[in-house]
Amino acid sequence: MKTDDLVAPLSAGIGPVDFRVVGRRIALAVAAGAAISVAAILIGFGPRTGLSIAGACALLGVKIAFAAAVAGVAAVDLIRLSRPGGGSKPGALLVILPFLLIVALAVVSLGAAPASHWNRMVAGDAWLECLVSIPVIAVVPFALAMWAVRQAAPTDLRRAGAFAGLLAGGISALAYALHCTDDSLPFVAVWYGGTILFCTIAGAALGPRLLRW
């Protein structure tokens, strides 16, 4: 059989591909993961208190903005990575920009405080709860993100897994912020940022195994 004779029946009836399907699946995974994570935090831990304290709402907004920025960047790049060839490679600066900003704010905050307060500002009251809670809560959004990616055709499995972990960590940190009363920026930079990076590394390690065709 000639090549043209083989290609003709294989290509018969093929319609245009809707490139928005991947984005819709990722968006669905983000929405479901965020809803489940927020519900788990509010039901399991309860909403945060102390918002009547001066500046508390603004600091809560910073935590939410940081986590949302991480999740947003991760979601956009995960859509690209879910397609064959991975699309355009994520810009390193855009990915690390939220981390650079929160670290810069943390350094400014430490510089404006007496050195005797630094340990308290970094450790806070609930560093262990934060260290455990964010990765544990991230399991569900990570599973949903990996489900969405598996419906597509990723080829860079390690990078796709890493961005699924980054997305899940951002969603989980956002949900945890609704309970956490440690508003110190150094605390956010170390424990929120650190646990999100842990989720990213875990995703990179699991990606090749869970996303294998």
Side-chain angles (χ1 to χ4, degrees):
M1 178 181 290
K2 294 182 180 180
T3 302
D4 291 343
D5 294 334
L6 177 61
V7 170
L10 290 177
S11 60
I14 295 178
V17 176
D18 186 354
F19 288 99
R20 295 172 296 179
V21 170
V22 174
R24 285 198 292 264
R25 289 199 182 108
I26 298 293
L28 177 61
V30 170
I36 294 171
S37 298
V38 169
I41 282 292
L42 296 182
I43 295 172
F45 292 87
R48 66 159 293 158
T49 57
L51 288 178
S52 60
I53 299 173
C57 288
L59 290 172
L60 174 60
V62 170
K63 291 194 290 187
I64 291 176
F66 166 62
V70 169
V73 170
V76 170
D77 285 317
L78 192 59
I79 292 172
R80 297 193 185 108
L81 290 165
S82 297
R83 299 190 176 108
S88 59
K89 289 188 177 180
L93 180 59
L94 189 59
V95 173
I96 67 174
L97 185 59
F99 295 94
L100 292 177
L101 289 176
I102 197 66
V103 168
L105 290 173
V107 170
V108 171
S109 178
L110 287 172
S116 59
H117 292 182
W118 289 1
N119 185 62
R120 169 74 175 175
M121 292 171 72
V122 172
D125 292 319
W127 67 268
L128 182 58
E129 181 185 86
C130 180
L131 180 65
V132 174
S133 298
I134 290 179
V136 169
I137 295 167
V139 170
V140 171
F142 178 72
L144 291 169
M146 294 296 272
W147 165 82
V149 175
R150 280 184 61 88
Q151 307 308 305
T155 52
D156 191 340
L157 306 187
R158 189 171 300 279
R159 188 184 292 270
F163 274 83
L166 182 66
L167 171 61
I171 291 173
S172 179
L174 191 156
Y176 182 71
L178 300 177
H179 161 76
C180 177
T181 55
D182 277 312
D183 294 329
S184 165
L185 293 174
F187 179 90
V188 176
V190 171
W191 301 109
Y192 281 54
T195 50
I196 291 172
L197 290 176
F198 172 79
C199 293
T200 304
I201 294 169
L206 294 170
R209 179 178 299 179
L210 299 180
L211 296 174
R212 186 180 298 123
W213 292 18

